[in-house]
Amino acid sequence: PLIFYSSASVYGSNPRICDESAPVGPLTIYAKMKYEVERYLADRPKTLILRNGTVHGPSANMRGDLMINAMVASAVTSGEIVVTTRRETRRPIIDVRDLAALTVSFLNLGATGTINMATGNIPVGVAASLVAEETGALIIHEHSVEDRRDYAVDPSRMIQLVPPSWAPIPISRSIRDII
């Protein structure tokens, strides 16, 4: 089987909650390239395309450019969380440990096709508030960049495939573990 970690960012800006059949509208080079690879792989047998929400959580090689990780890093190092987009802007999220466990589970099931991977959808302002609650950091709203990305995903297909014993890692725990 082939697993491709794509991105929910392929949805671009969509007021709807997007299931896997929703129209895509990638706005960045990153999202456009992810979608091009999806299109290339779509007809291959035994291919699993995971449209990941914004991944967060502790890692030996943690990505500091992802929303929650970046907010925690900023809060811990500077005491501030700078939010450069609208507070209402939505992002799907998933802890890296959940993503890893579910990937293994889906491989064992022989799952194929495209699956939205998210344990929730969260407005950026709420994410900042949760990080501030755990760190005591000050939130600063600074709309310095026009970021049209705004999307939420429907994880129903993912949920249908998860083992009954699985429960997502709460975002508050993930934030504490990153700290």
Side-chain angles (χ1 to χ4, degrees):
L2 174 68
I3 299 172
F4 176 60
Y5 285 117
S6 186
S7 172
S9 66
V10 299
Y11 296 116
S13 180
N14 194 325
R16 295 181 4 182
I17 295 180
C18 303
D19 67 12
E20 291 83 357
S21 67
V24 299
L27 298 172
T28 63
I29 292 291
Y30 171 82
K32 289 174 184 174
M33 296 309 297
K34 289 289 190 179
Y35 186 61
E36 287 302 316
V37 175
E38 280 190 27
R39 286 182 41 199
Y40 175 77
L41 297 174
D43 296 328
R44 294 177 62 107
K46 294 186 176 183
T47 298
L48 180 59
I49 298 170
L50 302 177
R51 284 188 179 158
N52 301 333
T54 302
V55 179
H56 61 276
S59 168
N61 297 307
M62 190 163 44
R63 288 207 28 209
D65 61 324
L66 299 174
M67 182 178 66
I68 304 279
N69 293 355
M71 288 179 177
V72 171
S74 179
V76 169
T77 60
S78 74
E80 296 178 344
I81 302 164
V82 179
V83 178
T84 59
T85 189
R86 292 177 302 112
R87 295 173 209 189
E88 307 80 32
T89 299
R90 300 161 305 147
R91 293 287 189 277
I93 59 170
I94 187 165
D95 187 286
V96 66
R97 297 164 291 186
D98 287 329
L99 181 59
L102 292 175
T103 300
V104 170
S105 178
F106 296 167
L107 272 174
N108 289 335
L109 289 172
T112 59
T114 303
I115 302 174
N116 285 335
M117 299 294 288
T119 54
N121 294 293
I122 189 168
V124 172
V126 171
S129 294
L130 292 170
V131 172
E133 191 175 297
E134 294 292 336
T135 62
L138 176 66
I139 300 171
I140 298 170
H141 294 279
E142 189 178 280
H143 303 287
S144 58
V145 201
E146 180 60 33
D147 186 352
R148 296 184 3 235
R149 296 172 300 153
D150 182 15
Y151 49 91
V153 301
D154 174 358
S156 296
R157 181 157 189 245
M158 178 193 88
I159 291 167
Q160 291 171 350
L161 295 171
V162 298
S165 61
W166 178 79
I169 295 169
I171 189 168
S172 57
R173 177 177 155 208
S174 186
I175 292 167
R176 286 190 301 274
D177 290 349
I178 294 169
I179 294 167

